[in-house]
């Protein structure tokens, strides 16, 4: 990828490969893909954590990863390059039961509170948690459920504590 110094695929190649997903991109994501740069590439890498959480909510992956284990991109790559065309995957998408999604939102929110509290008290982040991972998963779940962000665009989700 761009963050590793490799050339990015062209906008045309992305549209041809991912079709309907391109339409769902936020303005910031669309801008980055049209003109990649290393700084935004790092931000996009963190957004992968949110994408994996949304894939879990759509039952496209079996289990959410631990809160200290960053996805290496293989989850979304496997989904995007799988045998099922993306348009069919999207049209056949089914959310997990609301209770499962809300349970993960609650668990993620509690972990975020522990991280914010530890930082405010000058303590290390508790074991089993990574600030970036928890933050991006919380972003995805707040956007998905509308928790404190009803009708808010992806790029504008407020995660202030």
């Amino acid at each position: 990828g761009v963050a590793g110094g490799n050339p990015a695929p062209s906008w045309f190649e992305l549209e041809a490969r991912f079709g309907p997903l391109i339409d769902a991109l936020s303005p910031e994501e669309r801008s980055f893909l049209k003109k990649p740069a290393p700084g935004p590439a790092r931000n996009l890498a963190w957004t992968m954590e949110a994408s994996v959480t949304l894939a879990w909510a759509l039952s496209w992956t079996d289990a959410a990863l631990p809160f200290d284990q960053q996805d290496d991109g293989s989850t979304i790559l496997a989904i995007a390059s799988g045998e099922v065309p993306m348009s069919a995957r999207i049209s056949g998408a089914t959310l997990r039961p609301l209770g499962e999604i809300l349970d993960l939102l609650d668990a993620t929110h509690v972990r975020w509170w522990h991280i914010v509290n530890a930082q405010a008290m000058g303590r290390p982040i508790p074991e089993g948690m990574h600030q970036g991972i928890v933050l991006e998963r919380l972003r995805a779940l707040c956007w998905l459920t509308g928790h404190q962000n009803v009708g808010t665009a992806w790029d504008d989700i407020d995660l202030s504590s």
Side-chain angles (χ1 to χ4, degrees):
V2 175
N6 298 324
S10 72
W11 181 250
F12 176 77
E13 291 170 317
L14 291 170
E15 282 187 311
R17 182 165 183 190
F18 298 111
L21 283 182
I22 297 296
D23 296 335
L25 292 174
S26 74
E28 286 182 23
E29 292 164 334
R30 190 178 290 271
S31 174
F32 167 75
L33 290 174
K34 286 183 176 179
K35 188 175 181 187
R42 283 186 288 279
N43 295 340
L44 194 59
W46 278 114
T47 303
M48 187 66 65
E49 290 302 321
S51 300
V52 170
T53 302
L54 294 174
W56 170 85
L58 290 167
S59 302
W60 292 351
T61 186
D62 294 331
L65 292 171
F67 288 97
D68 62 348
Q69 184 179 339
Q70 186 174 9
D71 187 81
D72 62 3
S74 62
T75 301
I76 298 301
L77 184 60
I79 291 167
S81 61
E83 292 181 17
V84 178
M86 192 52 69
S87 57
R89 189 177 290 277
I90 291 169
S91 65
T94 303
L95 280 175
R96 289 183 181 275
L98 182 59
E100 285 183 45
I101 294 170
L102 293 177
D103 285 348
L104 185 58
L105 171 62
D106 183 55
T108 307
H109 205 274
V110 166
R111 281 165 178 79
W112 182 243
W113 183 87
H114 282 296
I115 289 169
V116 169
N117 188 51
Q119 290 175 330
M121 304 295 268
R123 296 187 198 135
I125 293 173
E127 271 195 51
M129 297 180 216
H130 184 284
Q131 180 177 353
I133 294 168
V134 174
L135 178 67
E136 291 305 323
R137 291 182 188 174
L138 183 60
R139 179 183 319 281
L141 292 163
C142 286
W143 177 81
L144 179 65
T145 62
H147 177 68
Q148 299 177 334
N149 289 279
V150 174
T152 304
W154 178 263
D155 289 331
D156 299 326
I157 295 296
D158 180 16
L159 298 174
S160 56
S161 300

